[in-house]
Amino acid sequence: MSGPGEVTLELDDIQRGILSPRPTPYAATYLAFRVDDPAHGRELMRRASAVVTSAADSASPLGETWVSVAVTSTCLAALGVPRSSLDTFAWEFRQGMAARAKALGDVGESSPENWEAPLGNPEVHVVITAVAPDPLLLETAVDRARPAYDNLPGVTAIWRQDCYALPTETEHFGYRDGVSHPAVEGSGIPGSNQLEVPLKAGEFILGYPDELGGTQTPLPDALGRNGSYAAFRKLHQRVAEFRRYLKDNSTDPSDEELIAAKIMGRWRSGAPLALAPRCDDPALGADPHRRNTFLYQRDDPAGFNTPGGCHIRRVNPRDTSVAGEVRLHRMIRRGAVYGPPLADGVLEDDGSDRGLMFAFIGAHLGRQFEFVQSEWINDSIFFGGGDAKDPVAGSADGTTGYTIPRRPLRRRLAPLPRFVVTRGGEYCFLPSLSALRWLGDLRD
């Protein structure tokens, strides 16, 4: 239920994958398609409107299982959306992620010419995502999506990425993942930080007032309203190199875990340094009601507990005094592991591809995803850290070390190599269920 002054979201028209946290554990599959025949592409949209799960369907008969459909700018053009309508979409979306690579720090090894085909190419038109609590139910979800694209020779499947989440909720570097998510006004879904006031719906859903009081809606309203944008990223993780860095910069195993916590901002259990500054607290890390309820500015403005340059303080500075308004840059993040884990204790790469498939969801690609990526992850001016980059996800080049604030002397670690390499990505639009039908009804 919405509280006083809150908007009422049309949940039955919004894709569930935009607002709903994923189940724990879960499995997921990303399927990419190319549209060769506009009529068949439009039929795919019409069929998809019948299989996509809405945000109102919080108690699906299949459990925490749902299907989402996203489209690229080239897809909208291929389906016959008029140029006058395309021009009202976010310009970053219209350019595509590959064209924005330099601004995102996707250079060198992470540049688009090194991406996994067909990611970043104009032939990626539709991305269907299926999510379920386990692999068996995932196949049920994929089967549910199959009628949308079966027997359409003008629609070709061109890529698939299977993902999963471990029962431990950790990713390949060993940290508990999926800890933080914002509350969205009118969604009925609580945020993970009880100290954070719910964000305006327009920060995540097009057609509603945002934090600045404005409303962003691509035209016509039937196409844009109740939709959102997603930035999909395939990120390869260099797990052996990350482990070696921790080992080489530490004095013993306990110091190794401390450095790991200072780099991330949380112990690997999920317990934040803000609440457990001296040693890990696994019980806290496992408690979703406590592990993310904290702020920085009042108790730790200098970063002696949670360094200003650590990963979680960069991507969400919370109440920290930084340039700009933090609430304008909040996103919904969805992460899923792909590839086999590297065996515990192994310090040499085994040649397997492993990493994370990320989806960053919001109504403002520029001031949400792109701002955080360029200004907070790949720069440090906002907190006085110079040109240092995020120690986990930044585009490090092996020339800048990592500094841990400490009394009486700060601790400086060796220059950081690049631990995460971009293997591909797409900017997509998540249409409402009625917009999928609208796309299905387009004519040449």
Side-chain angles (χ1 to χ4, degrees), residues 5-195:
E6 283 190 4
V7 299
T8 300
L9 293 178
E10 296 166 330
L11 296 175
D12 60 348
D13 195 38
I14 298 169
Q15 294 199 42
R16 184 176 178 185
I18 296 174
L19 295 171
S20 294
R22 291 178 174 178
T24 303
Y26 72 90
T29 289
Y30 290 84
L31 302 166
F33 299 86
R34 183 184 68 241
V35 174
D36 299 309
D37 183 304
H40 287 184
R42 293 191 287 267
E43 177 63 14
L44 169 59
M45 296 295 105
R46 188 188 66 78
R47 294 181 187 180
S49 69
V51 302
V52 166
T53 317
S54 81
D57 187 10
S58 59
S60 167
L62 293 175
E64 293 292 314
T65 302
W66 65 84
V67 173
S68 298
V69 173
V71 296
T72 62
S73 178
T74 54
C75 176
L76 293 178
L79 295 177
V81 174
R83 171 56 58 185
S84 59
S85 175
L86 292 174
D87 288 345
T88 65
F89 281 79
W91 69 275
E92 298 92 350
F93 166 71
R94 284 180 277 139
Q95 284 194 310
M97 187 178 289
R100 304 293 299 150
K102 186 174 181 180
L104 297 174
D106 290 333
V107 296
E109 297 172 276
S110 290
S111 61
E113 59 264 27
N114 296 321
W115 286 5
E116 177 181 319
L119 299 178
N121 294 333
E123 64 181 19
V124 177
H125 290 156
V126 182
V127 179
I128 295 179
T129 307
V131 175
D134 57 56
L136 183 61
L137 282 174
L138 178 63
E139 285 308 309
T140 303
V142 173
D143 288 342
R144 179 180 174 182
R146 190 165 285 116
Y149 56 84
D150 262 359
N151 300 313
L152 290 175
V155 175
T156 305
I158 57 175
W159 184 78
R160 174 170 178 162
Q161 181 65 64
D162 294 325
C163 312
Y164 60 95
L166 296 168
T168 56
E169 302 177 61
T170 60
E171 45 71 61
H172 286 302
F173 289 150
Y175 298 95
R176 186 184 294 270
D177 198 20
V179 170
S180 177
H181 59 89
V184 181
E185 186 180 79
S187 70
I189 301 171
S192 57
N193 184 354
Q194 299 172 54
L195 301 176

Side-chain angles (χ1 to χ4, degrees), residues 214-229:
T215 302
Q216 304 293 321
T217 315
L219 298 176
D221 195 68
L223 174 59
R225 183 174 173 81
N226 289 326
S228 189
Y229 293 110

Side-chain angles (χ1 to χ4, degrees), residues 7 72 120 122 130 165 223 234 282 300 305 314 320 324 332 366 369 377 391 405 422:
V7 299
T72 62
L223 174 59
K234 181 172 183 178
D300 189 26
N305 292 335
R314 282 174 175 271
T320 303
I332 293 173
F369 174 70
I377 289 181
T422 305

